[in-house]
């Protein structure tokens, strides 16, 4: 399994307690598996109750500790309840991974749907704000507090997918930097990973083929390759890193995509 293979080269996270949003499948699943493989207890948060429970059970079958919570991260109340439940189950909270996201196909300005635009902002900007604020008392009590945003390279370089997606991901990076600035002195380290194209259900096959043709490395990323960077930022090896955006895109940034 890629997530656990990548984990073998990373520092251990024994005793750490992590909460991962959008953890049922794709990159979120890889983050949860990798963090658990490094010894962290992990609470998986996702709207898809069945898939989320399946991923939690997979972690348990591999000897890890996992809890599954179903919640809508765009609800402030749900974030407050989830944060409290996760901290209660794990005895605290050290690592928060904002992975939940949405992606819509490209539209011009005149065709941009107001509801889609708002929903993208809710999932990518409001949700991490709500959840980090709810988790703040637990993070302040931790000796190893880490917040990691899983954003996108298209928050840095417009890729034509949608006004909502580009705007939300760019705003997400601004939110990350603001949090990093406020909490650096209180030893809560906040960073972001910006993947390029990754092989997940969210990326249509025809789009994967088009992206592969222009990525310098010549292929899309596997979810575990993003998860290994998230795990690094969550660990002791990143103890002097905050407010940074780490691109994981196979060289796409070199050619301006």
């Amino acid at each position: 399994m890629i997530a656990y293979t990548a984990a073998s080269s990373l520092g251990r996270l024994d005793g750490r307690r992590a909460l991962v949003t959008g953890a049922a499948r794709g990159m979120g699943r890889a983050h949860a598996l990798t963090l658990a493989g490094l010894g962290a207890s992990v609470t998986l948060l996702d709207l898809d109750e069945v898939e989320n429970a399946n991923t939690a059970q997979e972690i348990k079958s591999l000897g890890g500790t996992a809890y599954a919570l179903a919640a809508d991260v765009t609800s402030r109340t749900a974030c407050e309840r989830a944060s409290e439940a996760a901290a209660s189950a794990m005895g605290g909270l050290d690592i928060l991974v904002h992975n939940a996201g949405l992606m819509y196909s490209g539209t011009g300005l005149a065709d941009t749907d107001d509801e889609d635009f708002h929903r993208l902002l809710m999932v990518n900007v409001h949700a991490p704000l709500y959840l980090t604020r709810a988790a703040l008392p637990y993070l302040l009590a931790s000796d190893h507090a880490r917040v990691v945003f899983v954003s996108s390279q298209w928050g840095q370089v417009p890729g034509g997918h949608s006004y909502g997606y580009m705007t939300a991901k760019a705003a997400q990076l601004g939110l990350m930097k603001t949090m990093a600035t406020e909490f650096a002195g209180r030893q809560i380290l906040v960073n972001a990973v910006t993947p390029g194209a990754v092989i997940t259900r969210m990326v249509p096959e025809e789009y994967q083929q088009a992206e592969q043709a222009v990525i310098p490395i010549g292929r899309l990323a596997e979810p575990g390759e993003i998860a290994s960077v998230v795990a690094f930022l969550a660990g002791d090896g990143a103890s002097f890193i905050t407010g940074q955006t780490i691109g994981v895109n196979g060289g796409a940034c070199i050619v301006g995509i």
Side-chain angles (χ1 to χ4, degrees), residues 33-240:
L33 284 164
T34 299
L35 294 172
L38 291 167
S41 299
V42 183
T43 296
L44 293 75
L45 191 61
D46 202 287
L47 269 175
D48 190 330
E49 190 170 356
V50 174
E51 286 292 326
N52 205 38
N54 288 341
T55 300
Q57 184 56 47
E58 182 178 0
I59 290 172
K60 293 175 185 177
S61 71
L62 293 167
T65 301
Y67 307 91
L69 292 176
D72 180 357
V73 291
T74 65
S75 163
R76 183 175 64 182
T77 300
C79 285
E80 291 168 352
R81 290 174 178 169
S83 179
E84 182 178 1
S88 177
M90 299 186 294
L93 187 60
D94 306 290
I95 302 163
L96 184 56
V97 180
H98 294 301
N99 172 79
L102 292 174
M103 187 173 186
Y104 289 97
S105 59
T107 59
L109 180 62
D111 299 321
T112 295
D113 182 82
D114 290 350
E115 290 186 10
D116 285 352
F117 190 91
H118 179 68
R119 178 67 176 169
L120 282 158
L121 288 174
M122 288 297 296
V123 172
N124 290 288
V125 184
H126 290 250
L129 173 67
Y130 294 157
L131 191 57
T132 307
R133 187 164 57 195
L136 187 57
Y138 310 110
L139 294 172
L140 287 170
S142 169
D143 293 328
H144 307 279
R146 306 284 191 270
V147 179
V148 183
F149 285 76
V150 181
S151 188
S152 170
Q153 73 177 42
W154 292 287
Q156 300 169 290
V157 180
H161 299 291
S162 77
Y163 274 88
Y165 188 75
M166 304 302 160
T167 302
K169 288 301 184 180
Q172 194 178 65
L173 294 175
L175 181 64
M176 176 276 291
K177 292 176 184 178
T178 305
M179 288 182 182
T181 301
E182 179 177 359
F183 297 114
R186 303 176 80 174
Q187 304 306 304
I188 299 176
L189 306 184
V190 188
N191 293 286
V193 176
T194 52
V198 184
I199 300 173
T200 68
R201 294 186 202 176
M202 196 166 81
V203 182
E205 186 174 346
E206 61 272 17
Y207 176 76
Q208 292 183 22
Q209 293 173 351
E211 282 293 303
Q212 181 171 307
V214 296
I215 294 172
I217 283 184
R219 63 176 178 83
L220 275 65
E222 295 283 351
E225 293 177 299
I226 312 303
S228 65
V229 181
V230 170
F232 166 71
L233 291 172
D236 292 340
S239 59
F240 204 62

